[in-house]
Amino acid sequence: NCLVKRSVLGPNCTICDECQVVDSHFWGNVTVEKGAKINGAVICEDAVIKSGAVIESGCVIGRGCVVGEGVVLKEFTRITLAEEADDDDDYSGFGDSEDEDSSSSEDEDDDDSDSSDEDEDDSVDDKDSSDGDKFNIAVDTKGLAPSCSNISDKLVTDHEIVGNDGLGRVWIPSPPEDYDSDDDEDEESGKEKAIELMKSGSIGYDMTLIYRKWQKIQVEDDDLFSEEGMDSDDEDDLMDMDDDGLFNNGVGNSSMLASSHLDDDGMHVVGRQKGVDVVRELRDICLEHETSSPVENLRIELNSFKFSQNATYGDCCKGAIMAVMDKIFEQSENTSSGKLVTSLRKMLEYWGPLFKSICMGSEEEKAIIHALETMALGGGKAATVLGTEPAFRFVLQTLHDREIVNEDAIFDWAKERKEEGNDSPRGQLFYQKPTQDFLEWLEEDSSEDDSDGDDDGSDEDSE
């Protein structure tokens, strides 16, 4: 009962029941315990993700680290066992070979003298490790990779981050070398730049954020911000700009934070910009399309947007059917069920070829029905009309008659709703009598077709 998608797993990895691993890279000997969820992360060798833990996009779990049970790591968190570098130590770990050669001889001379003191130091370390007030914990390094064998037996662990049963500390990148350490404001800015640079190289980072910041800088430097060059239209534009430097065009932040960037498993869709409602965007593209131009042009435009946001043909079908219904409701103030069907048939003379080109199978056809449900259970005129018997049945039957939605998709949809029951709004819509009558007729018609096919087959055998 695991979900593993678009991920690379190294040798000897163990993934237990009910786990989700999506868009992630595992090194060797990684252990993921029951119910853990990992999305867009890098898990290094010998790391352990305990049961129920959630690793969000952009995280990197270092070699030998342990994420405790039920812990939720925020996006772009780095966990490591490496000791924190001393600020006063100029050695970066990547010195010149000449320096290393000159120092190696000195180190060898000191090895003999230091070896006699190691036993005494070990006993002192064992005594210090019993102090319960510290976050330092003893670690058995035998299970670590060979390159980690030189790690100290005492490591600092951020238990508030990785849990009481976790192991490892949070790694934060150092500020750039050009920041002024005496200036607190400059230091804080340097840290923010370092963190942003770290995020930009991580899985799941939204590169449009860089473009937004660039756009905001360009606007701030533009002459429209000067007192002489700013007119009333410019002031209106500034009022429409949000904190990220985007023009919201009257759309509230709540709608911009829609969860359409998540798939059915609640995982981030790779390549899809966070906060973009793809169905709404596809719907707007269809609404803005002029029917005087070939419908093939619209198909190309929808397909381009689909690829840019890693959307699906089901999303395209939802946006298109919603746009068609919107156009129908805009053209008539009083839309009865009969007028609705007449208008829909007329619309499908133009839009029908589009649906047939983007409906690849039952999933896309079911997406059309789901979109109609959303409109019927939403608000406004669409909900008033579609939610009233027998409008929903008439629309569904018209789409079936025009071979846009076949009976297999309708039966699959009906099966889902029967399992859901009639307590929910969707269940109440499904159990409307006209809709049930149509489904009953459709089942009878389908069974008759099957029996006719069987009869034809038996006649041929007898001949």
Side-chain angles (χ1 to χ4, degrees):
N1 297 322
C2 293
L3 172 68
V4 180
K5 295 197 305 184
R6 301 185 300 271
S7 299
V8 178
L9 306 182
N12 302 320
C13 290
T14 302
I15 301 178
C16 298
D17 294 340
E18 302 176 12
C19 293
Q20 293 183 4
V21 179
V22 180
D23 300 317
S24 298
H25 294 260
F26 285 14
W27 294 15
N29 300 313
V30 172
T31 301
V32 182
E33 296 184 358
K34 183 177 180 179
K37 295 182 179 180
I38 303 174
N39 177 35
V42 176
I43 313 298
C44 296
E45 197 169 17
D46 297 312
V48 177
I49 312 300
K50 296 210 168 183
S51 60
V54 177
I55 312 297
E56 297 185 354
S57 179
C59 291
V60 177
I61 310 302
R63 182 176 298 177
C65 292
V66 178
V67 179
E69 182 176 351
V71 169
V72 178
L73 284 187
K74 296 181 179 179
E75 291 181 332
F76 309 111
T77 302
R78 303 290 203 266
I79 303 298
T80 181
L81 291 181
E83 296 180 356
E84 189 170 3
D86 189 353
D87 294 338
D88 297 332
D89 188 1
D90 294 333
Y91 177 64
S92 63
F94 299 95
D96 295 335
S97 58
E98 294 181 359
D99 295 339
E100 292 179 355
D101 293 340
S102 62
S103 61
S104 61
S105 60
E106 297 178 1
D107 293 340
E108 291 175 358
D109 294 339
D110 294 339
D111 284 344
D112 295 338
S113 60
D114 293 340
S115 59
S116 61
D117 299 332
E118 287 181 356
D119 296 336
E120 297 179 3
D121 293 340
D122 290 341
S123 61
V124 175
D125 290 342
D126 294 338
K127 181 179 180 180
D128 293 340
S129 62
S130 61
D131 189 352
D133 296 334
K134 297 182 180 179
F135 282 113
N136 294 348
I137 61 176
V139 179
D140 183 7
T141 58
K142 294 181 180 179
L144 299 177
S147 58
C148 294
S149 59
N150 59 345
I151 296 178
S152 172
D153 285 345
K154 292 182 63 180
L155 299 171
V156 176
T157 292
D158 294 328
H159 288 294
E160 67 275 14
I161 302 298
V162 298
N164 293 330
D165 53 347
L167 176 62
R169 68 174 181 86
V170 176
W171 179 82
I172 300 176
S174 302
E177 296 180 357
D178 57 352
Y179 83 94
D180 186 1
S181 59
D182 296 330
D183 189 337
D184 294 338
E185 185 175 341
D186 191 23
E187 181 179 1
E188 190 65 27
S189 176
K191 291 180 179 179
E192 292 178 359
K193 289 180 180 179
I195 293 174
E196 193 64 27
L197 181 61
M198 176 197 73
K199 291 181 179 180
S200 66
S202 304
I203 299 175
Y205 182 77
D206 187 359
M207 297 303 293
T208 57
L209 295 174
I210 296 178
Y211 172 75
R212 292 177 183 179
K213 291 182 179 180
W214 172 85
Q215 184 185 46
K216 186 174 182 180
I217 292 172
Q218 293 296 315
V219 173
E220 289 175 349
D221 292 341
D222 199 280
D223 289 339
L224 76 91
F225 280 85
S226 65
E227 295 181 359
E228 297 178 357
M230 183 179 293
D231 55 23
S232 58
D233 292 337
D234 296 331
E235 292 177 356
D236 293 338
D237 289 341
L238 288 177
M239 292 299 292
D240 289 338
M241 181 178 286
D242 62 18
D243 294 336
D244 291 328
L246 291 178
F247 295 96
N248 56 40
N249 294 325
V251 179
N253 289 334
S254 59
S255 63
M256 289 298 291
L257 295 177
S259 61
S260 65
H261 63 283
L262 303 179
D263 61 15
D264 294 336
D265 301 313
M267 296 295 190
H268 179 75
V269 178
V270 176
R272 183 173 299 181
Q273 181 180 342
K274 184 177 291 188
V276 172
D277 189 337
V278 293
V279 174
R280 178 176 177 177
E281 294 293 334
L282 291 163
R283 182 181 187 175
D284 291 341
I285 291 173
C286 294
L287 287 173
E288 294 170 1
H289 175 71
E290 296 292 340
T291 54
S292 57
S293 62
V295 73
E296 176 65 14
N297 294 350
L298 176 59
R299 188 192 68 79
I300 294 173
E301 190 173 357
L302 292 176
N303 208 34
S304 299
F305 183 84
K306 179 181 81 70
F307 280 114
S308 69
Q309 294 296 328
N310 198 15
T312 65
Y313 280 112
D315 295 328
C316 295
C317 290
K318 288 180 180 180
I321 193 63
M322 287 180 168
V324 169
M325 300 306 295
D326 285 341
K327 288 178 177 287
I328 293 174
F329 296 134
E330 287 175 2
Q331 294 174 0
S332 177
E333 294 183 0
N334 299 317
T335 307
S336 63
S337 297
K339 290 182 178 179
L340 175 61
V341 171
T342 302
S343 300
L344 179 58
R345 288 174 178 171
K346 186 175 180 180
M347 280 283 189
L348 291 178
E349 293 177 3
Y350 178 85
W351 293 84
L354 173 67
F355 285 111
K356 291 180 180 180
S357 65
I358 62 178
C359 284
M360 302 299 174
S362 295
E363 289 301 320
E364 288 76 25
E365 294 170 8
K366 279 198 300 181
I368 293 177
I369 304 176
H370 292 160
L372 293 172
E373 282 183 319
T374 301
M375 298 188 76
L377 300 175
K381 189 174 182 180
T384 302
V385 176
L386 286 175
T388 303
E389 301 180 18
F392 190 83
R393 175 255 172 94
F394 283 175
V395 172
L396 192 60
Q397 185 173 352
T398 302
L399 294 173
H400 175 262
D401 293 341
R402 295 304 175 95
E403 298 182 350
I404 292 173
V405 177
N406 64 30
E407 56 268 19
D408 290 337
I410 296 176
F411 290 152
D412 287 345
W413 164 73
K415 183 179 179 181
E416 294 175 359
R417 294 297 167 264
K418 287 178 181 178
E419 293 175 354
E420 187 174 315
N422 59 357
D423 295 332
S424 65
R426 289 192 305 188
Q428 294 174 6
L429 179 68
F430 170 74
Y431 280 104
Q432 287 181 352
K433 188 177 186 306
T435 302
Q436 293 301 308
D437 291 341
F438 170 66
L439 291 173
E440 184 178 350
W441 170 83
L442 198 61
E443 289 176 355
E444 292 175 356
D445 185 64
S446 178
S447 60
E448 289 177 2
D449 291 341
D450 292 339
S451 61
D452 291 342
D454 294 338
D455 293 340
D456 293 340
S458 60
D459 293 339
E460 291 177 1
D461 294 338
S462 62
E463 292 178 358

